[in-house]
């Protein structure tokens, strides 16, 4: 069988060493299933962000775009970034830019501490710290984050 014998020729080529009846088609099917599952999980996570922030679809799409950008630049899983967006939304970050900034700052901290603390706990602790010190969310977060990152390094 070859790939030139039709549109799907070769996709079901048998791989006997993986077990009887296993073909490449199963691998393609599994990859497609995982992509659909990941897309559904992403949509569900962003629906939660919309619910806690009151954002519309355009705002949550802006945050999701930022999350993907952060995920490309820092070694933090997308799911953790979505958790941070939810925590930030629960803390009152309702503007897409402010929420994206919160997620980015928290991802930088998580990277600095080596992922020793899960995203949700870290986000909640940052919000509590800002409240404890009576700091403004926007103006107080950068210095506090810088101090944490400096101590971690």
């Amino acid at each position: 069988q070859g790939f030139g014998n039709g549109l799907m020729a070769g996709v079901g080529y048998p791989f006997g060493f993986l077990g009887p009846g296993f073909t490449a088609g199963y691998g393609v099917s599994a990859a497609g299933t995982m992509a659909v599952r990941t897309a559904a999980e992403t949509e569900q996570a962003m629906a939660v962000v919309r619910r806690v922030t009151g954002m519309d679809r355009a705002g949550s799409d802006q945050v999701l775009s930022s999350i993907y950008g952060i995920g490309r630049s820092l070694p933090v899983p997308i799911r953790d970034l979505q958790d941070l967006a939810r925590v930030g939304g629960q803390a009152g970050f309702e503007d897409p830019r402010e929420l994206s900034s919160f997620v980015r700052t928290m991802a930088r901290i998580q990277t600095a501490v080596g992922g020793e603390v899960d995203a949700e706990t870290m986000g909640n602790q940052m919000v509590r710290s800002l409240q404890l010190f009576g700091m403004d969310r926007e103006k107080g977060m950068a210095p506090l984050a810088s101090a944490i990152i400096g101590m971690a390094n």
Side-chain angles (χ1 to χ4, degrees):
Q1 284 181 329
F3 285 104
N5 295 338
L7 183 61
M8 296 299 289
V11 172
Y13 189 80
F15 289 92
F17 63 91
L18 294 174
F22 186 86
T23 65
Y26 293 134
V28 171
S29 175
T33 301
M34 289 300 294
V36 169
R37 184 177 303 141
T38 300
E41 289 170 355
T42 296
E43 177 55 33
Q44 183 179 11
M46 294 314 294
V48 171
V49 170
R50 281 193 299 276
R51 190 169 48 248
V52 299
T53 62
M55 263 182 219
D56 60 7
R57 168 78 65 176
S60 70
D61 286 349
Q62 184 178 344
V63 172
L64 183 59
S65 178
S66 293
I67 285 172
Y68 285 142
I70 296 164
R72 283 189 296 274
S73 64
L74 295 172
V76 179
I78 297 298
R79 179 169 274 318
D80 286 359
L81 298 173
Q82 292 168 330
D83 286 345
L84 287 169
R86 180 182 44 77
V87 169
Q90 290 169 334
F93 291 92
E94 297 174 349
D95 178 75
R97 286 181 306 228
E98 291 175 6
L99 184 56
S100 295
S101 177
F102 174 81
V103 172
R104 181 174 289 106
T105 300
M106 298 311 300
R108 288 180 52 224
I109 293 172
Q110 188 172 21
T111 301
V113 299
E116 294 177 16
V117 180
D118 69 275
E120 184 169 0
T121 300
M122 189 175 48
N124 284 324
Q125 291 303 322
M126 173 60 88
V127 170
R128 285 188 192 130
S129 297
L130 291 171
Q131 292 169 346
L132 177 69
F133 295 122
M135 301 172 87
D136 179 71
R137 281 192 329 242
E138 294 172 47
K139 296 175 185 169
M141 192 166 60
L144 187 55
S146 293
I148 294 168
I149 291 170
M151 288 187 293
N153 291 330

